[in-house]
Amino acid sequence: MWLDASTFENLDHIFHTLFDDFCDADEPERYLGTSLRTEGEVALMRELGAALNAAADEAPNDTDVEYFQAASWPEVVAVAGRLAQVMVGNDLGELVAVHDSEAEGQPTNQPRCREAH
């Protein structure tokens, strides 16, 4: 969706996932500890929600083409990229912590979050 404008996912599905299923990008703090690991993820999700809402304001007919042509769309892509980087970094950090705990014989039920920068 992000790199090849000729092939992209349906934005309705993406918005439904971000605002309904995964979390509420308008109020992401409620998802801290469930789908979001850190305050940094919460802040970036809120920023992504604001960028998507700005793009929606520029898409009166709510079409994918209007979103992609919106002046605010580059900000959506930039924030989504930062959020993805932080979330992947945090997920990888958690995997390393689980691996290290198992290697040391410690219980793995203690979450250890490391915020990616």
Side-chain angles (χ1 to χ4, degrees):
M1 167 179 154
W2 307 105
L3 301 177
D4 180 5
S6 66
T7 307
F8 54 87
E9 296 177 51
N10 178 294
L11 288 180
D12 286 339
H13 175 72
I14 293 168
F15 291 166
H16 177 74
T17 300
L18 284 173
F19 289 94
D20 300 325
D21 291 344
F22 180 72
C23 95
D24 178 351
D26 290 325
E27 297 180 30
E29 46 284 323
R30 295 185 300 148
Y31 294 84
L32 183 61
T34 55
S35 56
L36 301 173
R37 291 184 189 274
T38 65
E39 292 288 342
E41 289 180 4
V42 168
L44 285 166
M45 184 60 76
R46 178 177 291 289
E47 192 177 335
L48 179 57
L52 285 168
N53 288 331
D57 290 344
E58 297 180 58
N61 297 311
D62 200 32
T63 67
D64 292 357
V65 171
E66 288 176 328
Y67 279 94
F68 293 138
Q69 292 175 345
S72 57
W73 190 253
E75 180 66 11
V76 171
V77 174
V79 175
R82 289 193 305 271
L83 176 59
Q85 184 177 18
V86 168
M87 292 179 86
V88 167
N90 288 340
D91 287 350
L92 290 174
E94 190 67 21
L95 285 172
V96 167
V98 167
H99 178 268
D100 290 349
S101 292
E102 289 175 351
E104 297 170 4
Q106 297 176 1
T108 59
N109 61 351
Q110 300 298 318
R112 297 186 208 175
C113 291
R114 299 177 193 150
E115 179 104 14
H117 299 282

